[in-house]
Amino acid sequence: PYAPGIKLTTAGEFGPMLAVVIGDAIRSQVYWGHWEQGATGPLAVLRYVVPQEKSHYSVSVDLFRGEDLPDFPAYHGEITVDPANGIILRLTAESELKPHNSAFKSGIMVEYGPVTIGSRDYICPVRSEALSTLTEYSTYGVDFTAFRFVTYLNDVTFTEYRLFRGDVRILP
């Protein structure tokens, strides 16, 4: 799509996103969503809503100004948990921003799963999707309004994890 000057950059899939959402959600509103069938059994889906004044979820939008100004909007989403062990398997966050003369929506989903690193299994991000849509409008006179719709999608699969470890010995 033709959209010079607008970019979508995501960050935080490896921990900060999880920490921000869980921290904000427990200080806001968390409620029951529904049961969902997972690969190994039922999964619990919790929903949450975070008002802007409690938000630490940073969204940056660069609209032709050459600057990435962060905003901390209200947002909502779902947290999918395996009730057998308490492991979070999926996290979503959807926000709405209202830049001047436009409507901006942004959402991110991170899926977590077991990853074997060395000889041990760890729960790590295995996939993420970030979707942003921008609707810009300009009014020309009384009878004409121009719209421009732009959609960005980042679809990422995380692979080839490596374990970095060191050994320490105290010498006499």
Side-chain angles (χ1 to χ4, degrees):
Y2 178 72
I6 299 175
K7 61 184 177 181
L8 170 62
T9 303
T10 64
E13 292 89 345
F14 281 95
M17 182 71 189
L18 181 62
V20 165
V21 168
I22 297 299
D24 286 353
I26 62 174
R27 291 178 193 86
S28 299
Q29 181 183 10
V30 179
Y31 56 97
W32 174 253
H34 58 273
W35 289 104
E36 188 174 287
Q37 187 60 40
T40 60
L43 302 175
V45 180
L46 305 172
R47 293 187 173 147
Y48 67 90
V49 176
V50 177
Q52 184 174 13
E53 61 272 8
K54 294 183 180 180
S55 176
H56 294 90
Y57 177 43
S58 175
V59 177
S60 297
V61 184
D62 182 356
L63 296 176
F64 308 107
R65 293 185 306 266
E67 49 186 271
D68 256 341
L69 298 176
D71 197 357
F72 298 91
Y75 65 103
H76 65 278
E78 295 182 341
I79 302 166
T80 304
V81 179
D82 184 340
N85 53 27
I87 294 174
I88 295 174
L89 296 173
R90 185 175 57 238
L91 178 75
T92 67
E94 294 181 50
S95 67
E96 289 192 30
L97 296 172
K98 303 209 181 315
H100 180 68
N101 283 343
S102 61
F104 180 81
K105 291 186 179 183
S106 133
I108 190 166
M109 180 274 307
V110 181
E111 289 180 347
Y112 302 88
V115 175
T116 303
I117 306 173
S119 59
R120 250 183 97 191
D121 281 347
Y122 297 87
I123 300 299
C124 297
V126 292
R127 183 171 169 260
S128 77
E129 286 185 1
L131 178 68
S132 294
T133 59
L134 173 71
T135 305
E136 281 195 313
Y137 58 93
S138 301
T139 303
Y140 301 98
V142 178
D143 299 325
F144 181 71
T145 300
F147 291 92
R148 182 173 81 140
F149 302 99
V150 180
T151 301
Y152 288 97
L153 173 65
N154 285 351
D155 187 359
V156 179
T157 302
F158 303 103
T159 61
E160 300 185 32
Y161 279 92
R162 295 195 180 8
L163 179 63
F164 296 97
R165 182 181 303 173
D167 292 323
V168 176
R169 283 189 324 163
I170 298 177
L171 299 174

